[in-house]
Structures are given as structure tokens and as C-alpha cells.
Amino acid sequence: MYTRTFGLREKPFTISPNPRFLFLSRHHLEALEHLRYGIQERMGFVVVTGEVGTGKTTLLRSLLESISSETDTAFVFNTRITAKQLLKQILTDLGLDAAGLEKDEMVEALNEFLLRQLGASRNTVVVIDEAQNLGAEVLEELRLLSNLETSQAKLLQIVLVGQPELNALLNLPKLRQLRQRITVMYHLQPLSLEETGEYIRHRLRVAGSERDLFTPEAVQGIHYYARGFPRLVNILCDRALLAAYADDKTQVDRPLVDEVQREMEVPFTETAGATSTPDPSAPPGLPVAAAGGNGTGPLLALPEDLQTRLRKLDGIEDDVKEIRATLKNLENLLNFSLWVDRNV
Ligand SMILES: Nc1ncnc2c1ncn2[C@@H]1O[C@H](COP(=O)(O)OP(=O)(O)O)[C@@H](O)[C@H]1O
Ligand SMILES: [Mg+2]
């Protein structure tokens, strides 16, 4: 493996949300402060949104690790569930017995628990990751749970974290009452170029590296292709280190980053007749200009058998998208079981 060659104790760019590698960019720090503030000040609903791979789950894990000892937490990560399943999970996480209880009974048990918490000066938080998948009916149930309050504070804090679709969901007219209760909101932005450099150096340092393994130009390329999304930065950096190791290089430079990015797109570019050199000004994530590079024209003039093969490629592309989605689900499951291993 490349770790030993580069003086690393472990792989620096794995894609599990490991709080040990936490790097607080300005936006990450602000998001964390919003979360902490909403919980500590017992504000009721707190919402954090961000695109896939911006670091939401990583932040949640670090929030849960650092939450005060006077706070009890329920963590919901599987959000394709009914209101009854949600209640059951919340009760179980809070250490309450939910076996055989109907929905109303579970709400009652939770309310009694919250009042006991109030008596013991304890706070209670329900954290929901991937909240964009919750049904409107489930969200409405959450609103009802948040009704319990004293004159100054909510007895239950509810943290909703999700992809930007969560905002659209919360804007539905039927969720108007819930929307009015959201007191703290934050949208997590990707890393800037400078932050991407700091992020890469930070992860390398945590993994034990004492020197810059990426040239400034390589960092620029990674930021350009990954658009500042930490998950993509990790994938590119990992592949680039592997490629540098394979090429006997001591550092990752820009041409290597370009090569790695190109290789990751091979199935969709080469067969479509692309040249092997990408256009550095091309928007990241897009295949290199197809068939000669002047738009859609040449593709239409391709011979019949090539057109058939291109149609097949379209089909394969859809399959790959589906496989990626399945892998993502598996990754979530794995992350969760790792989390359980560490915390339970
Ligand atoms: N602030 C951060 N510090 C360290 N690593 C991060 C940070 N944000 C994201 N990552 C890394 O990026 C990847 C995606 O982060 P994740 O929290 O799963 O994103 P999201 O939940 O928004 O899809 C993870 O591998 C994680 O290790
Ligand atoms: Mg996540």
C-alpha cells in the first residue's frame, strides 16, 4: 500500500465520516455552532442542509461526540419510515420500552419522559440525518412532538439534517406550521480553493504525514474537479496518491491529478471517441467533448453500429448510476454499524 511509502500511519482519505479527521472550515464551524446553539438554548427545530458529500454526517457525528452529558440523544439515520417506526426508534434510543405500544401510547411515554427530563434539568435531542426522505406525515408527527414546552424553552430539540430537497419539502403549504417553528437554519457550502488545500494538509497530518504530498497546482486541480466537495476531494486524493505510488513519484502533481480524473471517467469518454487529453477549462464532471468536440453534430453522423453501441453505453450509464446509489446505501449502513461499534 502507498501509506508506508509516503510516511503515513493510515489512509488519509477514506470516505467514512470519521470525526478524528474533522476539519472545521468556516462553514463547517458555523454549521456546528448553529447546531450547538439551537440545542443548548432549547430552540426546538434546527435545520441544516447541504449537497451530498459536503460533510453533514461528519458534523453530526462530531456533534454527538461532543454533546453535553446533561443531554440525551436519539439518532435517526434511516428515514424511509412511517411515523410509528420513527417513534419506536426515538423511544428505543432514549432507553424507553416501546414494545407493543401503539402510536398514541408511544407519544404519551415520550411526553412523560420529557417531563421527567425537565425535572432532572436534562435536555433531549432527536437528530435526524437524511431528513429529506421523511414523508410529510412523519414531519407533521415531529411537529406535534415538539409541542411540549415551558414558557421559556422546548422540552424536545429536533435537528433535521438533509440535502437541499429538505428545504423544498419544508416549504410545502401543508408543513406551514412546522416551518414557522424552525428557529435555526444553516446551509453548508463546499470548501473554497484555500480551504481545500488546508483540508488536504489537515487529513495528511492526522494520518501522520510530515510533508506536503500535493503540489499547489495539484490542489488547484483537485478543487476544480471536486468543486470543493470533501467527499470528492477524498476520492480524488486517494486515487492520486495511489497513482503517484505506482509511478514512483514522491509528490502528486497537476498532470497526475488530471490523469486520475480522466481515468475515473474512461467508460464514458474513450468509447465516445474522445481524445486522451482533457480540456482543462471544461466544466468538471462532464465527459471530455465527445467525437471531435464541436457539440452534438458529429454524434448524429456516426455509422449505425456506433450509434447502437452509444445507445448501449447510455444503458450502461444508467446501470452505473443505480449501482452507485446502491453502494451509497451500503456505505451509509456500514458507517452506521461502525458508529454503533464505537459508541454502543
Ligand atoms: N469537515 C470535515 N472534516 C473532515 N472530513 C470531512 C469533513 N466534511 C466531509 N468530510 C469527508 O467527506 C466525506 C463526506 O462527508 P459526509 O459527512 O458523509 O457528507 P454528507 O453527509 O454531507 O453527504 C466523508 O468521507 C468525510 O470524511
Ligand atoms: Mg450524510
Side-chain angles (χ1 to χ4, degrees), residues 56-57 129-130 231 328 332:
K56 302 182 296 298
T57 303
D129 199 2
E130 303 289 350
R231 182 192 303 268
K328 177 80 189 76
N332 284 343

Side-chain angles (χ1 to χ4, degrees), residues 131-145:
Q132 78 281 349
N133 295 330
L134 291 174
E137 168 231 356
V138 181
L139 283 165
E140 183 58 12
E141 189 69 44
L142 280 170
R143 179 182 72 81
L144 295 176
L145 290 183

Side-chain angles (χ1 to χ4, degrees), residues 13-25 28 50-60 129-130 161 163 188 191 199 202-203 229-232 234 328 331-332 335:
F13 298 106
T14 55
I15 53 167
S16 60
N18 183 346
R20 215 159 43 78
F21 281 96
L22 184 70
F23 165 78
L24 290 176
S25 70
H28 284 116
E51 298 285 351
V52 177
T54 40
K56 302 182 296 298
T57 303
T58 308
L59 280 184
L60 280 186
D129 199 2
E130 303 289 350
V161 174
Q163 290 164 27
L188 190 57
L191 304 172
Y199 173 83
H202 172 79
R203 290 195 78 111
F229 288 91
R231 182 192 303 268
L232 298 176
N234 281 13
K328 177 80 189 76
E331 189 203 329
N332 284 343
N335 285 342

